[in-house]
Amino acid sequence: MAHATDPGRTVLALDDIDRAILAELSADGRLAIRALAKRLHISRTNAYARLDRLMSEGVITGFHARIDPRRAGLGTSAYILITVEQTSWRTMSAELREIPFVEHVSLVGGDFDILLLVRTPDNASLRDVVLERLQALDGVRSTRTWLIFEEQQGGGARL
């Protein structure tokens, strides 16, 4: 059963229909339930119930538009690697999410502690984010900026 979990399992077990629902909605988040049910050869009632369960259990966390950052006026993108004092990472996550133009925050293991994806209108704005905002935070030891010259959308997770 899709909603049952095995002892020791840390994630929800999904069956083939659940994975098919996720694949269809990943391709088109505006897909109507009727069309979804028809594509998967299940009843609308089943599609509604499964979608409701996937949402209530946090598998589906929302629906959004995919936006081209360059066409939306954010022509400069960069990954910023941050090394922090080990006692400050808990409070820093919330502070980082409040900085304008920070799109994604990841706590990582390795040679640095935090990885940011930042998208700004131009290099001057990126400079402000790095030199005025990030390096002013308590606990930041160093930053390293990698400019993104070109991006390609991946195929996404295969469920």
Side-chain angles (χ1 to χ4, degrees), residues 67 69 74 76-82 96-97 99-108 112 114-120 126 129-130 134 144-151 153:
I67 298 168
L74 301 173
T76 301
S77 296
Y79 289 111
I80 301 175
L81 316 170
I82 306 173
L96 292 170
R97 288 192 311 268
I99 295 175
F101 306 117
V102 172
E103 183 173 309
H104 185 86
V105 178
S106 295
L107 179 65
V108 298
F112 51 93
I114 297 171
L115 173 66
L116 303 180
L117 173 58
V118 177
R119 298 187 190 279
T120 63
L126 179 62
V129 169
V130 175
L134 294 176
R144 189 176 212 177
T145 303
W146 293 351
L147 286 175
I148 299 170
F149 294 129
E150 185 177 328
E151 294 181 80
Q153 189 69 30

Side-chain angles (χ1 to χ4, degrees), residues 132-149:
E132 304 297 329
R133 305 286 186 126
L134 294 176
Q135 292 185 1
L137 292 175
D138 286 336
V140 171
R141 285 187 178 166
S142 66
T143 63
R144 189 176 212 177
T145 303
W146 293 351
L147 286 175
I148 299 170
F149 294 129

